[in-house]
Amino acid sequence: MGVLNRHLGMDRENETIALLTLACGSFLVSLYAGYRLNGIGRTIELPLFGIEFHLISTPLWVLAGLATLLCLQQLFHEIWHHGVWLFGIYVLSGLGTTLFYVMFDQGYLWYLVALVLILLALFLIYWMILEIYALRSRIQRELPDEEIVLGDWLPTLPAFMLFTMLSYYCYTKWYLGDPGWTFGYAAEGYILFQLLTFVTALYALWVPQVLLGRHLEEEIQEGEVLRDLLPGSSGRCPACDGEMHTSGMACPECSHRESVAYCSGCETYVAACPTCSLGAQVGTTCGGCGEDLVRLTCSECKHTGPVRFWASG
Ligand SMILES: [Zn+2]
Ligand SMILES: [Zn+2]
Ligand SMILES: [Zn+2]
Ligand SMILES: [Zn+2]
């Protein structure tokens, strides 16, 4: 849920579509402004730095680029630190490639700088992969029945870096007027690889966003189960006041899953009473109907047995 959703009352799906459209639009504007090497508008030179920029196209390039980032931030705000890292990979590998080809005749120091930047980009990729896999295993523990496959997400990060480097390779060749290995298509190559970079970035962020969305859904479900079993306790253990979690306990007879709340601190289990369905601590008597709840009872086959014989998960 982003700003559009909160302040304009837009529903989630429309917000996603609007942000995606805005992100693509501003990206294309920025790409076009950067593509016009001769620029749009009057040329202004900054005498101090020897840099020249164009009155319209340079600000347009920068502002539309920032607008793209802002849209992506809104679109993926739950996992935006991944977006920042992806942007870091983009800047490091883009700058590294540019320095490598533009400063190649300025001595070995520039090769070294370019190499360090590329290595930092690779390190960020490694870091991002570690984090996404940690997120996956956390969710996998909560959803043991579902297989979360990251096989087609994994190559997107190296692909993203490769496309970034290729696009800046084309850009420098085009800027220097040297064909290199671009077969005379340096400008077109730049556009093509920039588009591929953008699409890969969207996919690379989409996957963790969906994964996390599932994780949040799980948390909401857990909250509902806790509210049903322990109303008014804000999810606290009735025995030790520790934090309760929920678990599906599989019946040893019919493998039907009962939702129970448990406290890992004092190993207290709270399950719905089979008679009055009020939440009650296993091992005590039900506060609602006075039934003895020594064991856990399956609501499906009525099997009743000690909690330790039920498989949790
Ligand atoms: Zn407890
Ligand atoms: Zn059963
Ligand atoms: Zn009862
Ligand atoms: Zn059951």
Side-chain angles (χ1 to χ4, degrees):
M1 223 182 313
V3 167
L4 292 178
N5 185 299
R6 248 177 295 126
H7 297 293
L8 298 179
M10 210 180 246
D11 71 47
R12 209 166 184 155
E13 204 169 305
N14 285 336
E15 186 193 34
T16 305
I17 294 168
L19 285 173
L20 204 57
T21 314
L22 279 172
C24 292
S26 53
F27 174 74
L28 291 175
V29 168
S30 176
L31 188 61
Y32 178 71
Y35 171 72
R36 289 282 300 262
L37 205 57
N38 298 324
I40 311 165
R42 204 152 53 87
T43 306
I44 295 174
E45 282 199 42
L46 291 178
L48 198 59
F49 305 103
I51 299 169
E52 59 175 49
F53 73 90
H54 305 283
L55 193 59
I56 297 172
S57 62
T58 309
L60 196 64
W61 173 62
V62 174
L63 291 177
L66 287 176
T68 310
L69 277 180
L70 196 71
C71 290
L72 292 180
Q73 190 270 337
Q74 282 298 307
L75 197 54
F76 300 111
H77 70 117
E78 281 124 335
I79 50 140
W80 185 237
H81 63 283
H82 290 288
V84 173
W85 288 345
L86 210 58
F87 186 63
I89 295 168
Y90 178 81
V91 171
L92 289 169
S93 51
L95 200 63
T97 310
T98 309
L99 283 181
F100 190 83
Y101 286 103
V102 173
M103 307 300 248
F104 68 95
D105 50 1
Q106 307 285 316
Y108 283 109
L109 182 68
W110 290 107
Y111 276 117
L112 205 66
V113 171
L115 192 70
V116 168
L117 292 176
I118 301 286
L119 285 176
L120 280 174
L122 284 172
F123 176 73
L124 275 182
I125 288 184
Y126 172 69
W127 191 268
M128 233 177 123
I129 289 175
L130 281 189
E131 245 221 7
I132 297 295
Y133 271 79
L135 179 66
R136 182 188 78 150
S137 61
R138 209 161 66 219
I139 294 166
Q140 193 78 82
R141 261 200 307 270
E142 285 164 24
L143 299 168
D145 305 335
E146 249 177 285
E147 179 101 40
I148 302 171
V149 184
L150 288 178
D152 35 332
W153 174 79
L154 197 58
T156 56
L157 294 185
F160 172 77
M161 183 170 164
L162 186 71
F163 292 148
T164 306
M165 290 173 80
L166 286 171
S167 79
Y168 280 95
Y169 172 75
C170 290
Y171 191 82
T172 50
K173 289 297 164 195
W174 174 41
Y175 190 80
L176 296 172
D178 160 23
W181 294 311
T182 60
F183 310 104
Y185 291 104
E188 292 82 355
Y190 169 68
I191 295 287
L192 174 73
F193 287 120
Q194 277 284 309
L195 286 171
L196 285 172
T197 304
F198 184 67
V199 173
T200 322
L202 283 181
Y203 186 73
L205 290 175
W206 196 268
V207 170
Q209 172 92 344
V210 170
L211 263 183
L212 197 85
R214 257 202 275 192
H215 178 64
L216 291 176
E217 241 166 64
E218 261 309 283
E219 273 181 2
I220 290 168
Q221 276 172 13
E222 173 158 70
E224 274 170 7
V225 171
L226 286 177
R227 260 194 306 282
D228 280 351
L229 290 175
L230 299 154
S233 73
S234 55
R236 291 280 153 193
C237 170
C240 76
D241 206 38
E243 198 188 340
M244 299 288 276
H245 291 281
T246 62
S247 171
M249 303 294 275
C251 169
E253 289 291 320
C254 73
S255 25
H256 171 88
R257 296 164 78 84
E258 288 297 323
S259 287
V260 302
Y262 69 92
C263 167
S264 47
C266 68
E267 293 195 21
T268 289
Y269 284 83
V270 172
C273 165
T275 312
C276 71
S277 74
L278 215 71
Q281 209 176 316
V282 179
T284 63
T285 49
C286 170
C289 65
E291 173 160 337
D292 233 358
L293 288 169
V294 187
R295 298 158 160 201
L296 201 55
T297 306
C298 172
S299 60
E300 201 70 25
C301 72
K302 307 298 171 206
H303 165 82
T304 173
V307 179
R308 64 175 187 279
F309 293 144
W310 296 58
S312 71

